[in-house]
């Protein structure tokens, strides 16, 4: 795959940030949350685009399954957390008067621990592969990471606002 094709794949990844936003932000009244099939499809697209952008060699290809598994596991755990948050939100009639603030802090801490563990597993999976990447592959990976992180900026900002409401 040429560099132009790699950048096109990365650009496509950037355009999927609105779906990622929908996957991270709880649904609002009148807006349907993406289905499990939609989120799986999004994860499949992301995995495929990252792999295509890297243009792995046959030796690097052997290290890819651990990375892909970590990406998919993280996405699966994120979806489970989102479903749990939606259940808790649906169960709460009046969160200001019926919610125990200590329980809120404990649930938030548990979610942060899980997210940290998932990110650590992802970093551990990437490390052996990253060490084998050429400078060009590292540049493409950095660019892809930047595009994704830039696209996720609004998601993080919105998430922090929602977390402030929880705290």
């Amino acid at each position: 795959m040429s560099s132009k094709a790699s950048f096109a794949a990365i650009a496509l990844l950037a355009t999927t940030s609105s779906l990622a936003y929908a996957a991270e932000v709880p649904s609002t009244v009148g807006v349907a949350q993406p289905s499990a099939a939609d989120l799986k499809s999004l994860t499949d697209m992301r995995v495929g685009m990252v792999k295509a952008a890297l243009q792995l060699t046959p030796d690097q290809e052997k290290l890819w399954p651990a990375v892909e598994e970590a990406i998919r596991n993280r996405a699966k755990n994120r979806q489970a957390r989102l479903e749990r948050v939606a259940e808790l939100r649906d169960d709460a009639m009046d969160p200001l008067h019926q919610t125990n603030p200590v329980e809120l802090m404990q649930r938030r801490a548990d979610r942060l621990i899980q997210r940290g563990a998932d990110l650590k597993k992802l970093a551990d999976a990437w490390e052996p592969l990253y060490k084998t990447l050429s400078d060009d592959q590292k540049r493409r990976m950095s660019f892809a990471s930047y595009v994704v992180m830039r696209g996720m900026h609004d998601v993080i900002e919105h998430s922090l606002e929602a977390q402030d409401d929880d705290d």
Side-chain angles (χ1 to χ4, degrees):
M1 181 183 287
S2 70
S3 290
K4 288 181 184 179
S6 296
F7 286 114
I10 292 168
L12 181 59
L13 177 64
T15 62
T16 64
S17 65
S18 61
L19 286 176
Y21 180 81
E24 289 287 340
V25 177
S27 63
T28 57
V29 175
V31 177
Q33 193 169 2
S35 70
D38 292 337
L39 295 173
K40 182 185 180 315
S41 178
L42 177 61
T43 300
D44 291 344
M45 287 179 1
R46 286 181 158 174
V47 166
M49 285 186 275
V50 169
K51 187 175 180 184
L54 290 177
Q55 302 173 8
L56 300 174
T57 67
D59 286 339
Q60 292 170 333
E61 196 71 48
K62 295 173 187 171
L63 299 170
W64 178 254
V67 173
E68 183 173 342
E69 180 181 347
I71 292 169
R72 292 183 185 286
N73 218 17
R74 187 170 182 228
K76 182 183 79 170
N77 288 342
R78 179 179 56 237
Q79 179 60 23
R81 284 191 309 272
L82 290 171
E83 289 171 2
R84 180 69 181 139
V85 167
E87 288 172 12
L88 291 171
R89 186 186 64 234
D90 291 343
D91 290 344
M93 300 267 301
D94 185 358
L96 293 177
H97 295 98
Q98 296 181 1
T99 303
N100 179 335
V102 175
E103 288 176 3
L104 283 173
M105 289 185 275
Q106 289 171 338
R107 283 196 309 260
R108 178 77 181 125
D110 290 343
R111 288 192 306 261
L112 288 171
I113 290 167
Q114 179 64 51
R115 289 176 67 189
D118 289 345
L119 186 58
K120 177 71 171 125
K121 288 176 187 175
L122 182 62
D124 290 346
W126 266 109
E127 187 175 25
L129 177 58
Y130 188 79
K131 288 178 181 179
T132 69
L133 297 179
S134 69
D135 288 342
D136 190 41
Q137 288 171 312
K138 287 178 181 178
R139 236 183 336 274
R140 288 194 301 268
M141 183 177 172
S142 292
F143 179 74
S145 297
Y146 173 77
V147 168
V148 169
M149 294 308 288
R150 184 76 174 146
M152 295 302 290
H153 175 74
D154 291 336
V155 173
I156 293 167
E157 193 171 286
H158 188 283
S159 177
L160 289 174
E161 290 170 4
Q163 290 169 11
D164 286 344
D165 294 341
D166 284 349
D167 297 342

